[in-house]
Structures are given as C-alpha cells and as structure tokens.
Amino acid sequence: MNTPFDLDTSEPRRPGLVARLRASFLTGLVVIAPVGLTIWLIWSVVGWIDGFVLPLVPQSYHPDRMLQDFLGLDPSVQINVRGLGVVIFLMFTIIVGWMAKGIIGRSLIRFAESLVERTPVVRTIYSGIKQISETIFAQSERSFETACLIEYPRRGIWALGFISTTAKGEVAEKSDASDEMVSVFLPTTPNPTSGFLLFFPKKDVIELDMSVEDAAKLVISAGLVYPSDRPEPGETLDITPVSRD
C-alpha cells in the first residue's frame, strides 16, 4: 500500500503515436506557415502590381507573349510570368522621385497641390493619404529612433513606448519647466498603429538598448517575442526606477 509520502519511482509514460504525430505536425506548421504566408503575400502583391501596370504595356512586349514567340509555342498555351510590372513600377517611381527633387518638379508638385487644395472632397482624401505616406516612407527625424520604458498608467506598472521628439512650443512652455519634456508614443497590442501620445519628463523615461523593430515585435506579439539577447531563465532585468526627488 502506497502512502501520499511515497516517491513515485515509475517511469514516465511515453506519448503515443498520435501525440508524437500531432507534435511533429504543429512543429512543421510553425516552420512552414511563416514561409508560406510570406511567399503568398509577395506573389499576390507582384500579381496585383502586374495587373495594374501590364495593361498599359503593348501586348507584344508582355513577358508571356515574348516567351511564347521565343519558344515557338502555340498562343493558346498560357504562361504566367510575373515581375515585369514590378520592374516598370520601380523604374517609374524612381524617375518620378528624381524629377520631384528638381526645381521644375517641385514647382509642378506645388502647382498640382494648389489645385487639389481647392477641390473640397479631393483635398481631404489627398491630405490624408499624403500624411500616411509621409509617415510610412519619408526618412526624416520624425521617425521613432528609440524604444523606452515608462511607468504607466501608475507607478510600479511599466509600459513599452517609443520616443518621438522633444516637446516644443506651448507644450514645453506650459509643462514641467524643471526638466526637458519628451513626447512618447504608447502603442496598443496587437495593433501598434494606434495608441496614446504622452509627454514625460526626460528623467522619468528609461531608454532601452533594443531596436525599434524588436520593440515593435514585442508589442505585436503581446510579450511573446523577445529580442535575441533577452536574459536567460533565472536572470532578471536591471530596471531601476528613476528617483523623482
């Protein structure tokens, strides 16, 4: 008769065949899913761009038509060749960007924008799309460069944010004059495009060594994906609260 204090010396039960197959399937799914979704997304985007650009190209210059003529295949044989539309789109975009940097290009853009600003509905749509494009693609000092930790919504609770700029103008003048104020964007999980704009004294913000990309992954994954240099189990992060004296 065994008592509750007896040690269980029996060997652990090995998982059955179904359990091992299920574990192998889930492991393979974790490996295949990101690769498959990435390939599918790239293939879909390339096809979408080709479908938009290729109708503007003469039929005789389509890659599938040129390949059919080169191989001497019957026109009824369909060959799906993707990528020419992407190449044309990239070249066209580079040419437009190069022209926009010149004096004539800037003058034409200002003239076109002045016409758009006079159109009631179009100016709202154009201004919104322009702001989004500048935020995503423009390389300027407004981009997030540093991830940080702040105590929010109360002391003892830490939140991950992004330092955007130093507070300027009326915000800096009418806030805490004893220390420099910085604006911090606090993203939401799992959608980091929405969040809160907070202003903190610089002494209350702890800058992190992790990159902005790693911090964004941490936010999107709800804390499941840490940077590669995260501490091993048993180690602790040295986060010393800042004194508010």
Side-chain angles (χ1 to χ4, degrees):
M1 179 177 180
N2 295 333
T3 65
F5 302 99
D6 293 335
L7 297 176
D8 187 6
T9 58
S10 61
E11 296 182 358
R13 185 178 179 181
R14 298 184 59 185
L17 178 61
V18 176
R20 292 198 299 270
L21 292 176
R22 178 176 176 273
S24 298
F25 172 77
L26 293 178
T27 303
L29 193 62
V30 170
V31 175
I32 294 175
V35 177
L37 290 176
T38 302
I39 294 175
W40 173 81
L41 181 61
I42 295 176
W43 184 262
S44 300
V45 171
V46 170
W48 179 80
I49 296 176
D50 282 353
F52 178 78
V53 175
L54 287 182
L56 306 176
V57 179
Q59 183 69 27
S60 58
Y61 291 98
H62 284 202
D64 51 352
R65 180 64 180 273
M66 296 176 65
L67 186 60
Q68 287 176 349
D69 295 341
F70 178 77
L71 298 177
L73 299 178
D74 187 85
S76 61
V77 179
Q78 297 294 327
I79 302 177
N80 188 9
V81 180
R82 296 194 179 191
L84 179 62
V86 176
V87 175
I88 296 175
F89 174 75
L90 292 176
M91 294 177 61
F92 176 76
T93 305
I94 292 174
I95 293 173
V96 171
W98 175 74
M99 294 177 60
K101 292 181 179 179
I103 299 177
I104 298 178
R106 290 197 299 265
S107 301
L108 292 176
I109 292 176
R110 285 196 295 266
F111 175 73
E113 289 184 345
S114 64
L115 295 179
V116 172
E117 289 295 331
R118 301 172 187 173
T119 309
V121 179
V122 178
R123 67 184 179 187
T124 304
I125 300 175
Y126 175 77
S127 60
I129 296 177
K130 182 180 179 181
Q131 291 177 1
I132 295 174
S133 300
E134 289 179 348
T135 302
I136 297 175
F137 299 110
Q139 299 178 356
S140 63
E141 60 179 7
R142 293 175 297 175
S143 302
F144 299 131
E145 296 181 356
T146 308
C148 66
L149 281 178
I150 56 175
E151 285 188 292
Y152 181 87
R154 63 171 177 83
R155 291 188 179 184
I157 297 181
W158 295 90
L160 183 62
F162 301 97
I163 300 176
S164 54
T165 59
T166 302
K168 301 179 180 66
E170 188 177 5
V171 174
E173 294 175 359
K174 296 187 177 180
S175 58
D176 186 7
S178 62
D179 190 16
E180 184 180 11
M181 301 291 292
V182 295
S183 56
V184 177
F185 175 70
L186 182 65
T188 57
T189 301
N191 179 18
T193 59
S194 63
F196 306 95
L197 176 61
L198 307 174
F199 294 94
F200 278 84
K202 192 174 183 179
K203 64 181 180 181
D204 294 339
V205 178
I206 299 178
E207 297 185 2
L208 299 178
D209 294 330
M210 71 173 65
S211 64
V212 174
E213 292 76 11
D214 289 336
K217 293 177 183 178
L218 186 60
V219 172
I220 295 173
S221 65
L224 298 177
V225 179
Y226 275 80
S228 57
D229 57 347
R230 64 182 182 274
E232 296 296 332
E235 298 180 2
T236 57
L237 287 173
D238 184 16
I239 300 177
T240 304
V242 181
S243 176
R244 290 177 170 78
D245 296 337

